[in-house]
Structures are given as structure tokens and as C-alpha cells.
Amino acid sequence: MTLSPGSAWENTVFRDEDFSDGLFQNITFTRCSFKNIPMDCLVTEHCTFDQCDFTFTRLGGSTHRFSGFLNCRFSGASLFGARFFQCKGTGTLFADARLTGAVFTGGSYSYAMFGGCDLSRQDLSGISFAGADLQGCRFQKSVLTGCSFSRALLSGADFTGADLRGAVLGGVDFRSITMKNTLIDLNQAVLIAESLGAHCADL
């Protein structure tokens, strides 16, 4: 099933629809529910989902380009192999979603909630995670160059083998995260040292 491009939907509960292999273009959804319906291989382009519920929704293999997911909920949703290109996920709950094989390319996920998610071995370069809840997330061997983690909650996060060069790390509590064989730049090294109580003196 495919909805008309440019249409707007508000307070709509989709129950029996099957959006698998569908195409959404320039559609706005506000406070809509897609709970537990098939949306496998769906393609969205320049769509906005505001305060929508995707609990237990099947979105495996779906592709999203320049779409916004604002304050949405993906609890228990299957995002296996889903691809997000330059999307916005401000305030959205991804924790408890199945993200195996999901790919996030660019975009902003400020204040999103990824707590405990496995985001390892991904190229997440340039993404903004400012203010996001990333507690317990696994970023092992991920490319995180140019990302913003400003004011993000990172307690228990694992950056083993990750590349953090150029990432914004202001306000991060480095005592609560794992950084083993992690690539950092000189400015980050100074920031980390000072956050741990060291003082860098001129040579």
C-alpha cells in the first residue's frame, strides 16, 4: 500500500494496512500509530513522522532518505538492515529496537534514546548525538569522526577500537566509558587529561 505524495495524516491509527515495499514521499504524519504492522522494505523520502508510535513494527530492509522521526517510539520494532540517510531522529526512542544490520548515514539524533543498543562496526561519521542517551551503547570499531557527543549520556558506553578523531566531546564523563585502542586527536587527549584532573603545562 502506498499513500499519496504530499498528504498529511494526524491522529491516525493504522491497523490492518500493509506498507511493505511501499513508497512515502513528502508525507507528514502527526501522532499516528503504526504499531505491529508490516512496513518491510518501505522507502520514505522527505517525510516527517512527529510523535508517531512504531512499537513492534516490522521495518526490516526499509530505506529512509532525508526523513524526520521526531519524538517517535520504536520499542520492540525490527529495523534489521534498515538504512537511514541524512535523517533526523530528535528525541526518538530507539532503545529495545532490533538494530542488527541497521545503517545510519549522517543526520542528527540529538536527544534520542539509544540506551544499550549495539552500534559497533558502523560508519557514523558526522552524526550529531548531542544530548542523546547512549548509556551502555557499544561503539566498538565504529567510525565516529566529526560526531557530536556534547552533553550526551555515555555511562557504560564502549568505544574500544573506535575512531573518535574530530568528535565533539564537551561535557562527557570519561571516567564512566571504555576507551581501549581508541583513536583520538591531540585536542581530545588534552580534554580527557584535564577531565581526569591532569594539568597540561607548556613544554
Side-chain angles (χ1 to χ4, degrees):
M1 179 178 181
T2 298
L3 302 180
S4 299
S7 58
W9 300 78
E10 187 172 352
N11 298 317
T12 303
V13 177
F14 297 98
R15 289 192 178 91
D16 301 316
E17 289 79 4
D18 185 346
F19 292 118
S20 298
D21 300 302
L23 174 63
F24 290 176
Q25 292 179 305
N26 300 295
I27 302 176
T28 299
F29 300 91
T30 305
R31 294 182 299 278
C32 292
S33 174
F34 299 90
K35 292 175 66 173
N36 202 34
I37 66 171
M39 303 178 79
D40 302 282
C41 299
L42 171 73
V43 175
T44 73
E45 296 177 342
H46 298 279
C47 291
T48 299
F49 299 86
D50 188 358
Q51 302 172 68
C52 292
D53 191 350
F54 294 92
T55 300
F56 294 113
T57 301
R58 303 196 298 279
L59 285 153
S62 58
T63 300
H64 310 278
R65 303 186 185 98
F66 304 100
S67 291
F69 298 88
L70 313 178
N71 300 300
C72 295
R73 176 181 293 271
F74 284 91
S75 298
S78 175
L79 293 169
F80 179 81
R83 294 171 291 177
F84 296 83
F85 295 95
Q86 298 296 333
C87 290
K88 189 173 183 178
T90 304
T92 286
L93 176 65
F94 290 97
D96 300 323
R98 287 167 281 176
L99 295 176
T100 304
V103 176
F104 296 86
T105 304
S108 174
Y109 296 87
S110 299
Y111 300 99
M113 290 156 277
F114 284 92
C117 288
D118 185 358
L119 296 170
S120 58
R121 300 178 183 274
Q122 289 206 37
D123 184 350
L124 302 170
S125 55
I127 292 178
S128 174
F129 291 107
D133 182 352
L134 303 169
Q135 298 180 88
C137 284
R138 298 181 292 284
F139 292 100
Q140 294 101 320
K141 298 186 177 180
S142 285
V143 178
L144 304 165
T145 53
C147 286
S148 175
F149 292 100
S150 178
R151 304 179 308 281
L153 302 176
L154 288 164
S155 178
D158 189 347
F159 291 92
T160 298
D163 187 349
L164 277 168
R165 290 174 294 180
V168 178
L169 302 173
V172 172
D173 181 1
F174 295 100
R175 295 168 296 183
S176 65
I177 63 179
T178 299
M179 298 180 71
K180 183 178 181 181
N181 297 322
T182 305
L183 290 175
I184 58 174
D185 58 37
L186 180 59
N187 290 332
Q188 292 169 333
V190 172
L191 177 65
I192 293 170
E194 291 180 342
S195 74
L196 297 176
H199 296 282
C200 297
D202 292 334
L203 297 177

